[in-house]
């Protein structure tokens, strides 16, 4: 196709956070943008569903961290977060349960500092020093480092980034870095837990990612009233205000190419012509939609990648309140490394798992019927693992038993009036996720920046990729950034 102008007709495959972001930025640049989504609603992994009895479940993300990055998306289009939904700050931010005690992390940074000092003498000053360094990494990392398209290393040759290389701790491992500050195992766990969802053991993650501690603890843990899905709806509205058209229940089956260019996509058996395509669908799956000879990566490549975890999720509607359960609770009674080894080394169901419980009805009365609780349980697992129903149920009972022990409640299973599980096979069927991964590629040093799968196809000049399998990586704010990077890059493309 050739329209004889810089205005392009662009298809975006998938409406997760990266797809919504890419669509909005591409349209803002003056392009005609169409989003194709296989599901009847936007959001991808961040979809939401409601039950007839009044429960409202966010299906995926629940930690609203790095609020400034999300606010930055809306500011780019002349809006504020508050134009679309109410964001509240959680106090406490979360609770971490250990075998003999629990640690409750307060809302205010100065109170967290006092908590650290109370647990370990001298740790308050060390916390300040840790967060001062983490703030520097956050401001350079999230504003400069992760905003590059990562075609090559020369993009990082700016004086600011090059001069900051040592202070960014790119070559230090996160575990050693944390242990250099804190001796108490509880404090180390508090600092290490945010990187678990980056997809690797803390000893395999660059210390750069202490920026997450700043983006979470110091900037605070937020919650959008109405659920995390409010962010999806707000981004969709922003995209529509730029002129983006959405096509729901449209499954893209093929990306059609000719002479090194995409000329159309096939969705629901019908061909649609486009000047360029942005795929926010699973990277590996996207490449199955084009001939093998035109793919960036073969199957052998994907088999050698380190993937972030998959997970077992339960969405539960519980009759009656659970007074001693917080909005966010991390159950760390067992050894972290044992569970991590089950994900990355042994590829098996953990015998002594850690898990996470989210109870948004503590903050938001509209997500559960009056007098009831909305409970979201998540247990990280190895991608590609077998997940039959009996195994899911076994782990549900274990998680409920540990919640009972923590809260003093009894027989929670008899109080469940709604139950739905979601696991590896569901990630595959719903999102075409490679091996059912939930969080994309691990942010290990060998899979960082230029070493991640490229955002542009090397053999098809107008096919781009965005999302958690490319730069900058997993998580909601990085996915929003990924969409911005690609939305801007595709707009630079010249039509021939």
């Amino acid at each position: 196709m050739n329209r004889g102008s810089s205005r392009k007709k662009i298809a975006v495959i998938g409406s997760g956070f990266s797809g919504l972001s890419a669509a909005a930025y591409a349209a803002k640049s003056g392009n005609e943008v169409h989003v194709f989504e296989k599901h009847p609603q936007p959001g991808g992994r961040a979809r939401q569903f409601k039950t007839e009895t009044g429960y409202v479940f966010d299906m995926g993300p629940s930690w609203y961290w790095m609020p400034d990055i999300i606010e930055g998306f809306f500011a780019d289009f002349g809006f504020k977060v508050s134009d679309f939904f109410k964001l509240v700050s959680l106090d406490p931010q979360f609770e971490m349960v250990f075998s003999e005690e629990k640690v409750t992390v307060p809302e205010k940074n100065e109170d967290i500092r006092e908590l650290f000092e109370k647990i370990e003498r001298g740790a308050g000053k060390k916390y300040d020093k840790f967060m001062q360094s983490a703030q520097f990494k956050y401001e350079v990392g999230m504003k400069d480092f992760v905003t590059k398209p990562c075609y090559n290393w020369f993009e990082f040759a700016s004086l600011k980034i090059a001069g900051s290389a040592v202070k960014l701790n790119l070559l230090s491992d996160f575990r050693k870095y944390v242990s250099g500050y804190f001796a108490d195992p509880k404090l180390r766990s508090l600092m290490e837990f945010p990187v678990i969802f980056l997809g690797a053991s803390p000893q395999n993650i660059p210390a750069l990612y202490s920026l997450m501690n700043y983006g979470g603890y110091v900037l605070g843990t937020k919650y959008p009233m109405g659920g995390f899905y409010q962010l999806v709806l707000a981004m969709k509205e922003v995209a529509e205000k730029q002129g983006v058209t959405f096509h729901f229940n449209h499954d893209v089956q093929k990306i059609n190419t000719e002479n090194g260019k995409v000329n159309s996509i096939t969705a629901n058996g019908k061909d649609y012509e486009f000047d360029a395509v942005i795929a926010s669908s699973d990277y590996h799956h996207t490449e199955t939609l084009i001939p093998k000879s035109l793919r960036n990566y073969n199957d052998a490549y994907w088999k050698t990648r380190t993937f972030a975890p998959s997970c077992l999720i339960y969405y539960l509607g519980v009759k009656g309140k659970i007074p001693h359960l917080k909005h966010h609770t991390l159950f760390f009674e067992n050894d972290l490394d044992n569970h991590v080894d089950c994900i990355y080394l042994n590829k098996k169901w953990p015998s002594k798992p850690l898990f996470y419980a989210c109870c948004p009805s503590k903050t938001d009365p509209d997500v559960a019927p009056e007098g009831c609780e909305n409970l979201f349980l998540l247990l990280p697992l190895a991608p590609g693992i077998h997940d039959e129903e009996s195994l899911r149920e076994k782990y549900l009972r274990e998680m409920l038993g540990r919640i009972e022990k923590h809260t003093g409640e009894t027989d929670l299973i008899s109080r469940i009036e709604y139950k739905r599980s979601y696991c590896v096979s569901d990630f595959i069927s719903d999102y075409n996720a490679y091996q059912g991964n939930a969080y994309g590629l691990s942010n290990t040093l060998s899979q960082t920046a230029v070493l991640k799968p490229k955002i542009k196809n090397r053999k098809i000049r107008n096919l781009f990729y965005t999302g958690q399998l490319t730069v900058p990586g997993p998580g909601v704010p990085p996915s929003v950034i990924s969409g911005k990077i690609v939305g801007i890059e595709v707009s630079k493309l010249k039509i021939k």
Side-chain angles (χ1 to χ4, degrees):
M1 298 179 74
N2 190 335
R3 291 182 165 69
S5 74
S6 60
R7 179 175 167 84
K8 294 176 282 289
K9 188 177 181 183
I10 300 168
V12 177
I13 305 172
S15 64
F17 286 116
S18 64
L20 291 170
S21 175
Y25 283 104
K28 184 188 177 191
S29 297
N31 301 299
E32 179 186 341
V33 180
H34 295 258
V35 177
F36 291 81
E37 169 58 57
K38 68 180 280 191
H39 294 106
Q41 65 186 117
R45 286 166 167 79
R47 289 179 297 152
Q48 188 180 77
F49 71 93
K50 302 176 182 180
T51 73
E52 292 180 358
T53 52
Y55 291 99
V56 180
F57 292 101
D58 283 321
M59 293 188 70
S62 57
W63 289 84
Y64 197 110
W65 274 6
M66 305 185 185
D68 58 322
I69 302 297
I70 297 172
E71 191 72 65
F73 168 82
F74 291 99
D76 283 346
F77 298 92
F79 299 105
K80 301 188 295 291
V81 162
S82 57
D83 293 331
F84 300 95
F85 54 83
K86 181 182 179 183
L87 197 62
V88 298
S89 188
L90 297 183
D91 189 15
Q93 295 192 35
F94 62 92
E95 191 161 68
M96 187 173 271
V97 179
F98 298 100
S99 56
E100 301 297 329
E101 58 186 306
K102 61 189 178 186
V103 175
T104 304
V105 176
E107 175 187 14
K108 295 179 180 175
N109 192 49
E110 56 266 32
D111 294 333
I112 301 176
R113 182 191 186 280
E114 288 182 19
L115 171 69
F116 272 60
E117 183 63 33
K118 184 178 177 183
I119 292 173
E120 179 184 316
R121 188 174 179 182
K125 282 187 178 179
K126 290 179 179 177
Y127 174 84
D128 288 339
K129 189 177 177 184
F130 184 99
M131 286 305 178
Q132 185 179 5
S133 176
Q135 180 177 0
F136 174 82
K137 294 188 188 79
Y138 187 84
E139 289 172 352
V140 174
M142 297 306 292
K143 306 286 194 303
D144 296 293
F145 191 81
V146 304
T147 58
K148 307 296 182 187
C150 294
Y151 294 127
N152 57 63
W153 289 111
F154 292 110
E155 296 167 28
F156 299 93
S158 74
L159 286 174
K160 187 171 184 183
I161 293 178
S164 306
V166 174
K167 291 169 76 175
L168 288 173
N169 298 114
L170 273 168
L171 299 178
S172 310
D173 82 65
F174 193 80
R175 171 154 290 169
K176 283 182 182 174
Y177 183 76
V178 169
S179 64
Y181 284 88
F182 309 107
D184 188 277
K186 294 186 294 298
L187 297 186
R188 290 183 179 182
S189 291
L190 278 166
M191 287 306 195
E192 286 184 356
F193 111 80
V195 304
I196 294 171
F197 297 103
L198 291 176
S201 171
Q203 63 256 42
N204 294 325
I205 292 281
L208 164 71
Y209 291 103
S210 63
L211 62 86
M212 289 188 66
N213 299 95
Y214 177 81
Y217 297 1
V218 177
L219 298 184
T221 304
K222 314 295 182 184
Y223 173 79
M225 295 300 285
F228 214 99
Y229 195 61
Q230 297 305 311
L231 177 57
V232 172
L233 295 177
M235 290 180 68
K236 175 177 178 281
E237 188 175 340
V238 167
E240 286 176 325
K241 287 178 184 295
Q242 311 312 305
V244 175
T245 302
F246 286 84
H247 306 267
F248 296 108
N249 297 304
H250 277 67
D251 187 16
V252 175
Q253 294 130 349
K254 193 177 177 186
I255 298 172
N256 305 300
T257 64
E258 186 178 1
N259 299 324
K261 285 175 60 182
V262 172
N263 53 29
S264 67
I265 63 170
T266 304
N268 293 359
K270 182 181 176 183
D271 289 349
Y272 298 84
E273 290 190 347
F274 287 99
D275 296 309
V277 170
I278 299 171
S280 79
S281 43
D282 176 271
Y283 201 123
H284 172 270
H285 169 72
T286 300
E287 295 230 296
T288 68
L289 306 180
I290 58 178
K292 282 187 178 181
S293 61
L294 298 178
R295 296 172 188 174
N296 272 352
Y297 307 100
N298 59 24
D299 286 340
Y301 170 87
W302 292 109
K303 286 175 182 174
T304 61
R305 297 303 90 189
T306 302
F307 277 81
S310 186
C311 53
L312 167 64
I313 300 172
Y314 267 94
Y315 311 100
L316 304 174
V318 180
K319 288 184 286 187
K321 303 304 273 185
I322 308 175
H324 300 294
L325 190 65
K326 302 292 190 286
H327 187 123
H328 294 302
T329 309
L330 296 152
F331 287 83
F332 271 53
E333 308 99 318
N334 298 323
D335 181 62
L336 168 62
D337 289 341
N338 180 279
H339 190 141
V340 166
D341 285 349
C342 289
I343 296 173
Y344 298 107
L345 296 180
N346 306 320
K347 308 279 187 185
K348 65 179 185 179
W349 285 78
S351 57
K352 294 183 177 180
L354 284 64
F355 74 97
Y356 156 63
C358 179
C359 191
S361 46
K362 294 293 173 190
T363 304
D364 190 347
D366 293 333
V367 299
E370 188 174 352
C372 299
E373 299 281 31
N374 175 316
L375 202 54
F376 169 101
L377 306 181
L378 184 151
L379 190 155
L381 290 173
I385 203 167
H386 180 62
D387 70 342
E388 66 186 41
E389 193 62 34
S390 60
L391 273 170
R392 299 186 188 194
E393 284 290 316
K394 172 190 169 186
Y395 282 86
L396 170 63
R397 289 179 178 273
E398 167 155 354
M399 290 187 284
L400 289 175
R402 285 160 65 180
I403 291 172
E404 288 175 350
K405 182 180 178 182
H406 170 59
T407 61
E409 298 292 311
T410 57
D411 200 21
L412 281 175
I413 202 152
S414 69
R415 291 166 51 186
I416 294 172
E417 58 178 1
Y418 179 83
K419 178 175 70 173
R420 176 181 175 184
S421 66
Y422 203 93
C423 202
V424 178
S425 57
D426 299 297
F427 282 101
I428 294 171
S429 62
D430 279 1
Y431 310 121
N432 302 301
Y434 184 78
Q435 293 191 337
N437 80 85
Y439 301 100
L441 277 180
S442 302
N443 268 351
T444 57
L445 189 57
S446 63
Q447 295 181 166
T448 293
V450 175
L451 303 176
K452 283 190 182 291
K454 299 299 184 187
I455 65 167
K456 197 170 186 294
N457 188 287
R458 298 184 183 99
K459 300 163 189 172
I460 306 171
R461 64 181 301 273
N462 55 349
L463 174 59
F464 295 79
Y465 308 85
T466 186
Q468 59 185 10
L469 287 173
T470 182
V471 294
V476 174
S479 291
V480 173
I481 292 169
S482 182
K484 179 177 182 178
I485 292 168
V486 174
I488 292 171
E489 287 299 301
V490 78
S491 298
K492 297 175 183 175
L493 186 72
K494 297 250 189 313
I495 303 172
K496 292 182 180 178

